[in-house]
Amino acid sequence: MATAAASGPGSARARFIVVGGGIAGVTCTEQLAGEFPSEKILLITASPLIKAVMNFKQVSRMLEEFEVEERPTRILEEHYPNVKVIQSAVRGLDAAQRKLYTEEGKEYIYEKLCICAGGRPRLIVKDNPYVLGIRDTDSAKEFQSRLARAKRIIVIGNGGIALELVYEIEGCEVIWAIKDKAIGNTFFDAGAAQFLIPQLKADKPEAIHPCKRTKYTTEGLETETAAEDGAHGSALGPDWHEGMKLKGTKEISHRVHVEYQCEIDKIYLHEEFASSQKTSLAFPENLSEEREGKIDEECWPIYVQLTNGKIYGSDFIVSATGVIPNVEPFITNNHFDVAEDGGLKVDEQMRTSVPDIFAAGDVCTVSWESRALWQQMRLWTQARQMGYYAAKCIAAELLDESIELDFSFEAFAHVTKFFNYKVVLLGKYNSQGLGTDHELLLRCTKGQEYVKTVMQDGRMMGAVLIGETDLEGTFENLILNQMDLSAYGEDLLDPDIDIEDYFD
Ligand code: FAD
């Protein structure tokens, strides 16, 4: 079959083109390269470095661990001689002609295309120099250098990035504004939040924290040119802040104040605030109510008025309110089904609504019939699983074979670290979509562990495990097997019963 052959000046043709050098795109490319060793695969990516999954380990049936390296593109080409990486941003697509246009003015014609262009931070306001989003290596470095000069910052958002940041930042006051009743709403319930919150008030341990589930390294960073447009870099991932000093100017450990159930009402730059005659609040010390409501004497470059009426000044704001899928160059002039969250809708075979175009990772939104125990979350592990599965689907379509949804989409599983605790999330860990006829079983030892299971009709549908519980293997099996556990009732979480022995 034809390989990448020039079809005119400034244009090239390839059977497979993948867009995006993040974990989804690279995994898809590697998988295609292995399945079709005699075909040329083009990986077009805006980022100068690509992400590689290293030392992949299936730690249990559902949980996986791997390391991630950011590498120069030539390493992928050396490893897979049938892969060619083109460093350029795609600026347009003509799906009818199967043509991609890059910023360099080149055209690429494909037979099958997989879009893995990731996403970019959803900023609360655009074009404000005091509002930062964190997505890629460049934006993380920018954040670090701004923090090094900061006395106070405001973090907006309640997802994984916000949770990591507020705990990791030292030497700087942090006002954390969340729209929910409890911290970490995306990952756990109010009970788990209660369990974790004392960590925000305690001094951080001096010891080096154990690494999260995967190691994040960069290679060749100094030698490569950084992407000019930050929006085009690959998303950071697990342990992105490891080895990065996240410290402000103050001689304090971490100091976080949470403002619950509020959003940003208005942002003022310094001059605007000065002329508004308004006053801002001093940092409320976590352990005493004394300073609550006290007027701030300091001048700040930016001020935030929250919907609860409080105003705080800060050096800058971090907007950690999720991602917007990078779909624009692809959807303009083409008829893609786009989901409410802005992602390209994909079916069970990772196909978008446009023929011969697949999508994977943060850029896509699954629109297949919901699975009882799985939900999409824009996570590193899912980007890898989708990239892998998309390549399998492309191969199956070409070979006219049928393919069943990969096992990794049967049940949700994620292991991470929040506030220095191991956190394992399984299945419908937050009762997602279960309605009201479910119950929760809880076990909590303050400062040590928090265990929650979500039960429906006597079956375990999900679980949250915080701390070194050693229960993940057993609970995973119980969730996957859907064994009727009604007979055990609350004994299921009795710490005096060795549940592992019981069920294994
Ligand atoms: P990306 O990694 O965003 O890659 C997209 C690629 O597409 C990039 O190479 C980009 O250059 C390229 N691209 C974009 N537009 C174009 C274009 N027009 N033309 C050509 N190329 C283009 N997940 C976890 O599981 N655990 C965590 O602890 C975790 N922490 C995170 C911390 C931070 C700060 C961030 C930002 C994310 C974190 N995530 C975490 C999420 C995780 O990083 C993402 O879900 C995952 O990296 C998405 O991979 P992707 O390949 O879909 O997209």
Side-chain angles (χ1 to χ4, degrees), residues 20-21 23-24 45-47 90 117-118 135 212 232 234-236 362 378 380:
I23 226 63
T45 182
S47 51
V90 169
R135 178 73 189 168
K212 243 182 182 176
H232 279 147
S234 297
L236 294 162
D362 281 9
R378 289 188 163 89
W380 197 276

Side-chain angles (χ1 to χ4, degrees), residues 1-3 12-18 32 36 39-40 42 95 97-100 108-114 354-358 394-395 397-399:
M1 196 57 212
T3 54
R13 183 185 293 272
R15 198 170 191 198
F16 305 110
I17 298 186
V18 177
L32 284 171
F36 298 94
E39 297 287 353
K40 193 95 181 162
L42 293 186
Q97 303 276 336
R98 293 161 192 264
K99 270 187 192 171
L100 283 168
Y108 295 91
I109 303 164
Y110 59 85
E111 191 177 326
K112 301 280 177 201
L113 169 67
C114 189
V354 176
D356 299 313
I357 304 184
F358 297 71
I394 293 170
E397 192 172 275
L398 273 175
L399 304 172

Side-chain angles (χ1 to χ4, degrees), residues 8-61:
S11 95
R13 183 185 293 272
R15 198 170 191 198
F16 305 110
I17 298 186
V18 177
V19 179
I23 226 63
V26 172
T27 308
C28 181
T29 303
E30 289 175 333
Q31 195 57 32
L32 284 171
E35 298 246 356
F36 298 94
S38 57
E39 297 287 353
K40 193 95 181 162
I41 293 121
L42 293 186
L43 171 63
I44 306 179
T45 182
S47 51
L49 300 169
I50 52 149
K51 294 268 160 71
V53 169
M54 307 294 294
N55 301 329
F56 176 80
K57 218 169 46 183
Q58 193 74 44
V59 281
S60 63
R61 280 169 80 188

